[in-house]
Amino acid sequence: MTVTASGPLPDRPYDVAVVGAGVVGCAIARALAHHPRLRIALIEAQDDVGQGTSKANTAILHTGFDAAPGSLESRLVREGARRLAAYAAESGIPVERTGALLIAWDEEQLAALPRLAEKAGRNAYPAARTLGPAELYAREPHLGPGALGALHIPDESVVCPWTTTLAYATQAVRSGVHLHLGCRVTGASRYEDMHVLDTTRGPLRARRLVNAAGLHADTLDRALGRHDFTVTPRRGQLLVFDRFARDLVRHILLPVPTALGKGVLVAPTVHGNVLLGPTAEDLHDKRATHSTADGLAALRTQGRRILPALLQEEVTAVYAGLRAATEHDDYRITAHPAQGYVTVGGIRSTGLTASLAIAAHVVGLLTETGLDPGPERAPEPVRMPDLGAVGPRPCERADLVAADPAYGTLVCPCERVSRGEIRDALASTIPPRSLDGLRRRTRARAGRCQGDFCGAAVRALFEGAAW
């Protein structure tokens, strides 16, 4: 197994290089790893997988009910939802089927609900149905006053985005993919049948190239002579409320969507929290992942209308992510056979749901560029740590604690994270290289105190001082 974070890259060329280890790039690498004859590289600019948009989203497993009918996104979200639901069950990724309510707050929005139900039907999702105010408030008794009705989408779900990305990458690496972290692409060129990527760790050569660079996909496209789209970073700021708020909401609460996206929602998480957000701010800076006072104030104003009691609960975290919006309404997934190159751009908030279907689609496009993937062999299954709030934590399982007392020694009481879990994460196939990476793998320092109580102990374990 090969995971590198420093030093020169291998001189021997790869059959395929995938640029970008977000949820989509990791899914593509995993799909390519089904073909053991291929030599594959997965390249990531940062020090961990899933460090960009993939770690800072609303973590919804979409049905695709409101996608543009007939679009590539509609097809891949619909297919991807089925694939990811099955994969999550196999791999231990927590998923909760909460359903969603698209809420109408005025007559214009109410009139739009039947059209949205009809659109869902055209997206092969016939289960959407309208609710009157009585049934709506029976389902969501803490909803703010004045709602006129809703569209019920019973199959919308919430999922753990961190575990999903890590599961894909883990399977890929265990199947022979080389993961190169801290490897930012600074230039790209093509000589005869070979791509040459200039990176911060030296050159890397590959016969085929997949551009899954997210916010920077247009930059890499241009380096290879393509000018098919421009990425405009769209910032989404979110508030994370304490677990005590969880009983206030039963469904994902959505507004009627606009051209900028699905709007501000209130949603439970698989970790037991409640999200409020995101904003939708088109920016120029692809590094602007900071929160703003104005953005958070706007979220509070909208949250007070949707779920007034939520604003009385404690906020445990604030975060912001950038989505790769483009001037187009659909994904920008295109094969360039003459260049041995596939672009995977414009993957917005539905990318998590569609990831496995996107990966299968991209492998098909690579064959159109002349790639012969060879025989197929499914990778060995993985079983990921369950970070969900519904099932028992390792410290609550008598069998685990009896076999290894480290699982009974709590380090992070808020999230019930044990010393054994931290040990396992540090010894995993793709170990964390920062405390934030450890948090995404274990939930340590992600709870009510945000590390005030456990921070020193977690850091000591991370640095190896207490082993």
Side-chain angles (χ1 to χ4, degrees):
M1 294 184 290
T2 302
V3 179
T4 72
S6 61
L9 299 170
D11 182 59
R12 180 184 167 195
Y14 290 94
D15 293 306
V16 185
V18 180
V19 179
V23 69
V24 171
C26 289
I28 293 168
R30 173 188 171 274
L32 288 167
H34 283 62
H35 303 276
R37 193 175 77 184
L38 296 178
R39 178 174 161 83
I40 306 154
L42 176 59
I43 307 166
E44 170 54 44
Q46 302 194 60
D47 68 355
D48 200 359
V49 299
Q51 279 275 58
T53 303
S54 300
K55 75 173 183 181
N57 55 50
T58 51
I60 294 176
L61 182 53
H62 296 282
T63 58
F65 76 96
D66 60 344
S71 64
L72 180 63
E73 181 179 16
S74 173
R75 177 172 69 81
L76 294 180
V77 168
R78 188 165 62 248
E79 179 186 337
R82 291 193 296 269
R83 287 175 178 254
L84 182 50
Y87 181 80
E90 172 189 292
S91 305
I93 299 167
V95 174
E96 287 186 47
R97 183 174 171 270
T98 60
L101 294 169
L102 203 69
I103 300 171
W105 296 96
D106 58 38
E107 293 292 342
E108 182 179 358
Q109 294 174 3
L110 185 65
L113 296 184
R115 294 195 298 271
L116 287 167
E118 187 270 336
K119 183 179 184 181
R122 286 189 285 140
N123 280 314
Y125 186 78
R129 68 181 185 93
T130 56
L131 308 179
E135 185 175 357
L136 171 59
Y137 280 95
R139 287 178 171 274
E140 289 290 350
H142 298 285
L143 192 65
L148 303 181
L151 185 68
H152 182 214
I153 314 295
D155 296 295
E156 294 275 297
S157 304
V158 291
V159 64
C160 180
W162 311 323
T163 310
T164 304
T165 305
L166 187 61
Y168 295 163
T170 297
Q171 270 191 307
V173 168
R174 289 181 182 176
S175 299
V177 171
H178 290 190
L179 172 60
H180 299 301
L181 302 168
C183 189
R184 182 168 58 86
V185 175
T186 58
S189 55
R190 182 170 171 83
Y191 297 101
E192 297 180 351
D193 65 341
M194 192 70 65
H195 291 280
V196 179
L197 298 178
D198 301 318
T199 83
T200 49
R201 293 178 51 193
L204 182 142
R205 294 181 297 152
R207 296 180 181 86
R208 299 290 185 278
L209 181 63
V210 177
N211 173 4
L215 292 165
H216 303 281
D218 57 340
T219 303
L220 182 54
D221 233 29
R222 281 161 173 70
L224 292 166
R226 315 299 309 186
H227 298 271
D228 298 336
F229 62 93
T230 297
V231 171
T232 299
R234 182 168 293 161
R235 182 167 60 193
Q237 303 182 49
L238 295 105
L239 295 166
V240 183
F241 287 85
D242 188 81
R243 288 170 179 259
F244 286 125
R246 181 61 182 84
D247 289 340
L248 295 176
V249 60
R250 301 172 183 173
H251 304 72
I252 302 163
L253 305 181
L254 300 168
V256 175
T258 69
L260 286 178
K262 300 185 189 308
V264 172
L265 57 81
V266 174
T269 76
V270 294
H271 309 118
N273 302 105
V274 177
L275 294 181
L276 172 62
T279 57
E281 309 157 61
D282 285 347
L283 308 173
H284 298 290
D285 186 354
K286 295 181 179 182
R287 299 167 297 176
T289 56
H290 58 279
S291 300
T292 66
D294 288 346
L296 299 180
L299 289 180
R300 287 182 172 276
T301 297
Q302 295 189 63
R304 191 170 289 111
R305 181 185 192 187
I306 301 167
L307 206 68
L310 182 63
L311 276 296
Q312 299 171 23
E313 300 294 334
E314 293 289 333
V315 173
T316 60
V318 172
Y319 68 91
L322 298 175
R323 310 192 286 283
T326 74
E327 67 272 36
H328 303 282
D329 294 331
D330 202 356
Y331 293 164
R332 311 308 297 167
I333 304 178
T334 309
H336 307 290
Q339 292 179 279
Y341 172 52
V342 175
T343 303
V344 186
I347 311 298
R348 300 178 294 272
S349 58
T350 55
L352 171 60
T353 301
S355 54
L356 290 175
I358 291 173
H361 182 59
V362 168
V363 172
L365 292 178
L366 282 169
T367 63
E368 294 180 15
T369 72
L371 177 71
D372 178 7
E376 184 171 359
R377 184 181 67 208
E380 290 294 319
V382 294
R383 192 70 187 176
M384 305 300 292
D386 184 353
L387 303 185
V390 174
R393 301 288 293 135
C395 65
E396 298 168 323
R397 291 183 51 187
D399 59 331
L400 286 180
V401 175
D404 186 345
Y407 291 117
T409 305
L410 283 185
V411 178
C412 172
C414 293
E415 294 296 309
R416 298 169 292 165
V417 180
S418 68
R419 182 186 178 97
E421 292 169 88
I422 293 176
R423 176 202 61 204
D424 293 348
L426 293 173
S428 62
T429 301
I430 307 173
R433 299 180 184 275
S434 68
L435 289 171
D436 282 344
L438 182 60
R439 174 167 52 189
R440 289 191 295 274
R441 287 160 174 80
T442 65
R443 296 281 297 162
R445 299 170 51 252
R448 188 168 300 125
C449 79
Q450 289 290 292
D452 282 351
F453 180 82
C454 68
V458 172
R459 179 178 289 277
L461 293 175
F462 177 72
E463 295 176 351
W467 295 121

